[in-house]
Each structure stands twice: as structure tokens, then as C-alpha cells.
């Protein structure tokens, strides 16, 4: 049976802590070399998707909870106006992708993994695509970093690599914890997806500008942009952009293409040789990782005051006639993108949001483009592996060999399936990045990643139950202590009264005197 590898050895090496990111490259554990299949969507420049007839803007577009609408049916909005926000300030901000009228706030397919409908703001465009009044930061280089962070926060930017964690929250945490290096993640390792590669080719200056703004806003001293070694002209495009910007603290580093190198922790391992501690974050090592597209969104937010209302989406796969990259506004129906790519090819059978390893199926092309939509992959019948019957685990250890999070997937799988929830945290479930490598190699066709997703949701439910039980216990204890206090106060009051009346003898004397007084009064009267 394979044993758990030592996941702390590298992070505890004091010499490694002083390494400069990207100076020397390392390997992360496991991973897979997969066919890229990216070239098919990189042949033509990025094309802007024309205005749609109707936009369905989901209120849930970030990791966590859904936003609440701040507009009402019938209200006119301009492009960039706020549509929704979470109570928790700084997260869940959703903006109008174009100008028009809010015709409904209703349930609609919302491109989430659950496949269930969710609340969307429906906008009928007026055709003008008119921006709200824009108030860009005048001179960002002389602007207080706190002002830059606030601008980023209010722009509804989330991690565009797929994690969709609110960037405003992430940079605020990075600033408070102290960051020395910003890592821009351009290593888009999942097959088929090429939106970041096209962005780096076509808009390198905007990425460098975003990197500089991010660097200033968190107080980092340098930036490393990681790209894959098979990305051709991207290296020269970015290097030239760095030169044009005149800065010397941004380096472009080529990393070997191995899936899932684009994972935050895996990339840090490759660039620094350090392991992010289990349950920890890159900020524990003084690093902040952002996707290259996120950097562009930051540049637009600060220097143009334009919130995140559009993104590049790769539309690809054998099931679409002309694969390409499109600049699409959030809320655009996926069918519009497919049409722009010449429609479905013969045999098109399944729509996936994301790549073939980590993506999830969409129920139909009525689903809208969301912030997480880096790719719409159209698979044909031939692409879809026939579902193999699951067989018992033969303890071959292949899943552990390829796991980039250095877990023991077979153990984790057994523990989750048998509901031994107390052991799950120690087996590192929270470190599983759901990359699907273990599934890919499992000869017994065990749907390991699906079990890990289920395990995470169960753990979240158990944690919720634990918290509500804890809250109930605290409420009970508070009530008991309040009652005990009231009882004590009452007792004290009685004691005080007794004292006021004096001791037992005193009391008796006072009562006898009172009776005598009454009798003598009666005697006089008779
Ligand atoms: S790869 Fe599959 S069969 Fe092999 S140990 Fe892992 S779960 Fe078991
Ligand atoms: S899905 Fe999780 S357990 Fe499986 S290889 Fe990826 S990180 Fe490891």
C-alpha cells in the first residue's frame, strides 16, 4: 500500500524560503502530460460578440453566495451600472453588460455546476451600449494603494482562471499579510482552453499594466509571469511589453506544460520549490497569484473605471464548426457564441463549461456566459468516453502517483464512501483541487473526483451543522447563566430584606412591641 508522502518537507526547509520565484524551476508531484488541442482555436484573432437580443445575467458569478439585486423590473440601466451585490461588502458585485431595460428578475439556467436554474437579471438592450459615467483613476502611479484596492473591489473582479474568488478580498488579505512577489498565472494547462494565450498575444501591454497596478496595490516588490513553454509568440509579446513599460521588476518565466500546472499551489511549487501548507494559502509564503486575465480586468477597472462585464471565451471542440476565441459580455446566451463559430458540427453531443478535465456539462446553450466561463467545449459522440462499469479498487496506487496535491485518493475515496468523516480532514480533502488526474488513470474506472466533490459538500454540511449546534449550545449556556444570575439576585434581595428587618430575636421583639401597641390602644378605647 502506498504511504502518504511528506507534504511539509519542502516548506520547512529554511533555505528554500529565501528563493526568488522563477529563478530556478522545480517539479510538482504527479500530474499528466495531455494532448493540448489548443491550436484549433488560436488560428483567428479574438472577435467581439455583437450585442445579443437579451442578456441573462446570473446573480451568482463568484465563489460563495449569490448577490442580491439592487435594480427593479422596468428600470433603465447603463453599461457598468451595479445590478447586484452581496451583503458582505466587497463581494458579489454584478454589473450591467450593456445599456437597456431590466425586463425581469427571474429563474433561468445560470451556468452553474448544479445544472439548476438560478436568479438572473434579464436585460433587454437599447442597442446603444452606452457606458455609465466613467471616473478613472487619474494617475494610478501616484495614487494611494488603498484607493486602487477600493477601485478593484468595486469593479466586481474575480479570479478569471476559473476559481472566481473575489479579487478585492484576495488583495486586501495579501496586503494585510505582507506580499513580496506577485505571480501572474498564464500557464493555462488544461487541454483545449486558449483564452489566456490569445489575451497574452493580443493585449500584453494591458497585462503588464495590470501587473504593475496589482503590484503597487499589495506592496509587492516584483512580479513573475508564468507561461507555458509551448506558447510560441507569447513569450516575446510579453517580454516586449515589459520592455515598453520601462520597468525592471517583472520577469516572464516559461514553465513545462504538465497538467495541472496552472493550479495555484502547483505553480508555486514549480516557481519556488515551496509547498503551500496544507489548508494554507500562497500568502503564507509571501506570494499572491492572479490570472493574467484578472490583471487585464484590474487595468481596465483602474485606468478606465470599467467593471468586469466581459471576458474572452474559448469556443472549441470537434462539435463546433469554427473554433475560436470570442470577447463576450456576461449574460450572453451560449447559443450566440456557437452561432458566431458557424454553428454545431455534425455529431455535437455535449456542451462543457471549462475544459475536459475540470469542466462541467451545461444543460443547454440557453445558459449564459459567466465570469467563470473561460471555455465552451463542444464534444461529439466520438469524443465522449463510453461510461465504463466501475470495478473494485485493486490498490495499484496509480491515483496517488499522479495526484498533484500529494494525497492518497484511494484512501480518501474509501473513507468518504464509508462515511468516516472524522478521518477525512487528516487525509487532506480540502487540498484536493478536483483536477481529475486520479480519475483519468484509475484502471477500475472509479469516479474518484465526483466522490471528492460529494465529500466536500458533505463536510460543508457537517460544518454548518456543527456551527449551528455550537450556536445552540452557546445560547443554552447563556440562558442558564442568565437564570442563575436572576436567582442569585432574588436571593440577594431577600437576604437584604432580612437584614433590614434584623436578626430573629430582633424581629420577634419588633413584632411583640407592635402587638402591645395595638392592645394598649384597644384598652384605651374600651
Ligand atoms: S487508481 Fe483506482 S484502482 Fe488504483 S489504487 Fe487508485 S482507486 Fe484503486
Ligand atoms: S482530483 Fe484531487 S485527489 Fe484526484 S488527483 Fe486531483 S487533487 Fe488528487
Amino acid at each position: 500500500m502506498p504511504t502518504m508522502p511528506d507534504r511539509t518537507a519542502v516548506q520547512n526547509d529554511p533555505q528554500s524560503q529565501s528563493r526568488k520565484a522563477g529563478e530556478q524551476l522545480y517539479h510538482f508531484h504527479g500530474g499528466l502530460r495531455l494532448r493540448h488541442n489548443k491550436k484549433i482555436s488560436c488560428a483567428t484573432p479574438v472577435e467581439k460578440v455583437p450585442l445579443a437580443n437579451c442578456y441573462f445575467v446570473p446573480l451568482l458569478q463568484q465563489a460563495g453566495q449569490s448577490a442580491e439585486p439592487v435594480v427593479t423590473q422596468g428600470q433603465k440601466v447603463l453599461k457598468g451600472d451595479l445590478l447586484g451585490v452581496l451583503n458582505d461588502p466587497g463581494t458579489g458585485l454584478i454589473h450591467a453588460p450593456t445599456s437597456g431595460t431590466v425586463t425581469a428578475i427571474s429563474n433561468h439556467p445560470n451556468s452553474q455546476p448544479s445544472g439548476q436554474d438560478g436568479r438572473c437579471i434579464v436585460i433587454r438592450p437599447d442597442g446603444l451600449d452606452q457606458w455609465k459615467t466613467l471616473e478613472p483613476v487619474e494617475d494610478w502611479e501616484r495614487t494611494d494603494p488603498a484607493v486602487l484596492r477600493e477601485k478593484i473591489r468595486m469593479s466586481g473582479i474575480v479570479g478569471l482562471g476559473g476559481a472566481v474568488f473575489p479579487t478585492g478580498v484576495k488583495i486586501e488579505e495579501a496586503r494585510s499579510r505582507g506580499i513580496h512577489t506577485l505571480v501572474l498565472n498564464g500557464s493555462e494547462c488544461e487541454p483545449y482552453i486558449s483564452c489566456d494565450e490569445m489575451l497574452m498575444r493580443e493585449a500584453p501591454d494591458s497585462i503588464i499594466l495590470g501587473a504593475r497596478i496589482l503590484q503597487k496595490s499589495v506592496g509587492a516588490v516584483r512580479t513573475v509571469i508564468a507561461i507555458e513553454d509551448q506558447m510560441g509568440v507569447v513569450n516575446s509579446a510579453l517580454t516586449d511589453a515589459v520592455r515598453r513599460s520601462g520597468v525592471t521588476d517583472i520577469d516572464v518565466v516559461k514553465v513545462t506544460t504538465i497538467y495541472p500546472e496552472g493550479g495555484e499551489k502547483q505553480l508555486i511549487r514549480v516557481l519556488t520549490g515551496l509547498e503551500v501548507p496544507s489548508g494554507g494559502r500562497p500568502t503564507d509564503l509571501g506570494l499572491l497569484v492572479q490570472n493574467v486575465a484578472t490583471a487585464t480586468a484590474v487595468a481596465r477597472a483602474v485606468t478606465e473605471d470599467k467593471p468586469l462585464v466581459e471576458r474572452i471565451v474559448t469556443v472549441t471542440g470537434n462539435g463546433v464548426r469554427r473554433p475560436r476565441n470570442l470577447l463576450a459580455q456576461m449574460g450572453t446566451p451560449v447559443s450566440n457564441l456557437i452561432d458566431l463559430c458557424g454553428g454545431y458540427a455534425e455529431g455535437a453531443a455535449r456542451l462543457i463549461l471549462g475544459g475536459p478535465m475540470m469542466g462541467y456539462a451545461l444543460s443547454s446553450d440557453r445558459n449564459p456566459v459567466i465570469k467563470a466561463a473561460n471555455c465552451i467545449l463542444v464534444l461529439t459522440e466520438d469524443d465522449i468516453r463510453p461510461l465504463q462499469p466501475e470495478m473494485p479498487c485493486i490498490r495499484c496506487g496509480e491515483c496517488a502517483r499522479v495526484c498533484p496535491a500529494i494525497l492518497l485518493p484511494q484512501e480518501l475515496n474509501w473513507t468518504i464512501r464509508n462515511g468516516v468523516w472524522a478521518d477525512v480532514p487528516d487525509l487532506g480533502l480540502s487540498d484536493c483541487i478536483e483536477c481529475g488526474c486520479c480519475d483519468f488513470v484509475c484502471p477500475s474506472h472509479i469516479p474518484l473526483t465526483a466522490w471528492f466533490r460529494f465529500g466536500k459538500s458533505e463536510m460543508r454540511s457537517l460544518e454548518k451543522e456543527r456551527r449551528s449546534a455550537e450556536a445552540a449550545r452557546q445560547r443554552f449556556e447563556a440562558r442558564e447563566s442568565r437564570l442563575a444570575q436572576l436567582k442569585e439576585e432574588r436571593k440577594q434581595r431577600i437576604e437584604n430584606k432580612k437584614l433590614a428587618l434584623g436578626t430573629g430575636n430582633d424581629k420577634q421583639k419588633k413584632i411583640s412591641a407592635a402587638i402591645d401597641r395595638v392592645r394598649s390602644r384597644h384598652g384605651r378605647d374600651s
Side-chain angles (χ1 to χ4, degrees):
M1 187 188 113
T3 53
M4 180 75 97
D6 184 357
R7 305 167 69 212
T8 55
V10 180
Q11 86 203 28
N12 292 336
D13 168 8
Q15 271 190 337
S16 65
Q17 296 281 358
S18 58
R19 286 174 200 155
K20 270 177 99 179
E23 217 168 39
Q24 184 188 335
L25 297 182
Y26 303 81
H27 293 289
F28 65 91
H29 181 269
L32 296 170
R33 284 182 191 272
L34 301 169
R35 286 182 61 190
H36 306 145
N37 289 323
K38 290 176 190 274
K39 292 219 168 9
I40 56 169
S41 56
C42 294
T44 51
V46 178
E47 192 179 331
K48 191 168 168 47
V49 178
L51 277 185
N53 291 332
C54 203
Y55 289 83
F56 299 89
V57 188
L59 283 163
L60 176 59
Q61 292 200 54
Q62 62 154 21
Q65 288 174 290
S66 179
E68 286 300 318
V70 294
V71 288
T72 51
Q73 191 177 350
Q75 187 173 329
K76 294 219 180 306
V77 290
L78 293 173
K79 186 172 181 172
D81 275 347
L82 194 61
L83 298 179
V85 67
L86 257 178
N87 288 338
D88 182 5
T91 61
L93 285 92
I94 307 284
H95 298 85
T98 188
S99 54
T101 307
V102 175
T103 55
I105 300 170
S106 57
N107 278 348
H108 186 83
N110 68 346
S111 305
Q112 290 299 314
S114 68
Q116 290 170 351
D117 289 1
R119 276 205 302 173
C120 292
I121 300 199
V122 187
I123 297 178
R124 179 82 56 196
D126 58 14
L128 302 172
D129 207 24
Q130 187 188 346
W131 277 100
K132 63 172 183 146
T133 307
L134 300 174
E135 293 166 355
V137 172
E138 290 285 323
D139 182 357
W140 70 265
E141 288 181 86
R142 286 185 186 74
T143 300
D144 186 337
V147 175
L148 298 178
R149 292 198 298 276
E150 178 65 3
K151 200 72 172 171
I152 295 167
R153 183 179 80 79
M154 291 305 293
S155 300
I157 301 172
V158 295
L160 293 176
V164 289
F165 190 81
T167 305
V169 176
K170 203 167 168 180
I171 60 174
E172 207 55 64
E173 189 215 343
R175 175 66 193 168
S176 64
R177 299 199 61 189
I179 290 300
H180 53 75
T181 305
L182 167 70
V183 176
L184 282 197
N185 189 349
S187 60
E188 191 175 44
C189 56
E190 197 164 351
Y192 284 102
I193 308 175
S194 60
C195 54
D196 288 347
E197 177 170 348
M198 292 305 283
L199 177 74
M200 289 187 280
R201 281 196 210 177
E202 296 190 5
D205 294 300
S206 141
I207 293 170
I208 302 304
L209 177 59
R212 294 176 63 202
I213 295 171
L214 276 169
Q215 202 177 307
K216 180 174 168 82
S217 64
V218 296
V221 292
R222 68 186 283 258
T223 296
V224 174
I225 307 178
I227 60 166
E228 287 172 27
D229 53 5
Q230 52 84 31
M231 277 182 170
V233 294
V234 166
N235 187 26
S236 53
L238 285 174
T239 312
D240 289 349
V242 174
R243 199 176 306 120
R244 280 194 295 275
S245 73
V247 297
T248 54
D249 50 9
I250 299 182
D251 295 307
V252 182
V253 175
K254 284 204 261 184
V255 295
T256 315
T257 310
I258 300 177
Y259 177 78
E261 194 161 50
E264 208 170 66
K265 293 183 178 179
Q266 286 65 41
L267 187 59
I268 285 177
R269 167 75 183 147
V270 169
L271 292 174
T272 65
L274 304 176
E275 295 282 356
V276 176
S278 175
R281 297 197 180 151
T283 46
D284 297 335
L285 303 173
L287 300 159
L288 170 68
V289 183
Q290 292 287 351
N291 176 268
V292 285
T294 311
T296 304
V298 164
R300 276 167 66 91
V302 172
T303 62
E304 299 175 45
D305 193 27
K306 291 182 176 169
L308 181 64
V309 294
E310 61 187 17
R311 67 157 301 147
I312 299 180
V313 184
T314 305
V315 184
T316 186
N318 295 325
V320 66
R321 284 186 199 282
R322 290 196 301 271
R324 60 181 53 193
N325 279 277
L326 299 171
L327 181 64
Q329 283 150 332
M330 309 304 171
T332 310
V334 166
S335 56
N336 289 30
L337 277 63
I338 301 286
D339 289 347
L340 210 58
C341 295
Y344 293 110
E346 201 176 324
R350 190 177 293 172
L351 277 173
I352 304 282
L353 191 148
M357 298 297 284
M358 295 176 82
Y360 52 88
L362 293 179
S363 55
S364 79
D365 56 15
R366 292 175 62 227
N367 278 280
V369 170
I370 54 173
K371 294 177 184 180
N374 50 2
C375 179
I376 301 294
L377 175 62
V378 191
L379 298 176
T380 61
E381 296 285 2
D382 293 342
D383 296 324
I384 301 168
R385 281 198 291 176
L387 203 62
Q388 304 277 354
E390 183 182 335
M391 289 183 290
C393 172
I394 55 169
R395 319 282 287 168
C396 64
E398 276 301 289
C399 50
R401 189 182 63 74
V402 297
C403 177
I406 325 183
L407 306 177
L408 294 175
Q410 75 278 39
E411 295 295 314
L412 206 44
N413 178 48
W414 184 92
T415 311
I416 291 169
R417 288 175 104 145
N418 288 285
V420 192
W421 300 112
D423 290 355
V424 167
D426 287 344
L427 286 168
L429 179 64
S430 61
D431 292 330
C432 168
I433 57 168
E434 299 173 24
C435 65
C437 288
C438 49
D439 278 25
F440 195 84
V441 296
C442 178
S444 296
H445 311 296
I446 300 170
L448 296 159
T449 315
W451 277 107
F452 302 153
R453 279 195 199 111
F454 166 75
K456 284 184 184 177
S457 89
E458 282 297 292
M459 290 298 284
R460 277 194 295 273
S461 304
L462 287 172
E463 177 60 17
K464 210 167 153 191
E465 274 171 31
R466 191 196 62 74
R467 282 204 197 139
S468 69
E470 175 64 18
R473 188 188 62 77
Q474 284 177 2
R475 274 199 308 276
F476 174 77
E477 283 179 4
R479 182 174 175 274
E480 288 294 293
S481 122
R482 218 169 42 244
L483 288 175
Q485 193 185 345
L486 286 172
K487 200 171 163 189
E488 184 58 34
E489 283 170 7
R490 192 159 163 261
K491 193 173 151 199
Q492 196 60 51
R493 274 200 306 275
I494 293 169
E495 285 297 319
N496 290 345
K497 269 189 188 166
K498 277 184 187 168
L499 277 175
L501 285 170
T503 58
N505 283 343
D506 289 347
K507 198 167 145 191
Q508 195 55 49
K509 278 180 195 165
K510 282 179 185 171
I511 291 167
S512 302
I515 291 169
D516 289 346
R517 273 199 305 278
V518 172
R519 276 187 185 148
S520 67
R521 213 169 32 237
H522 277 290
R524 272 203 313 273
D525 293 347
S526 62

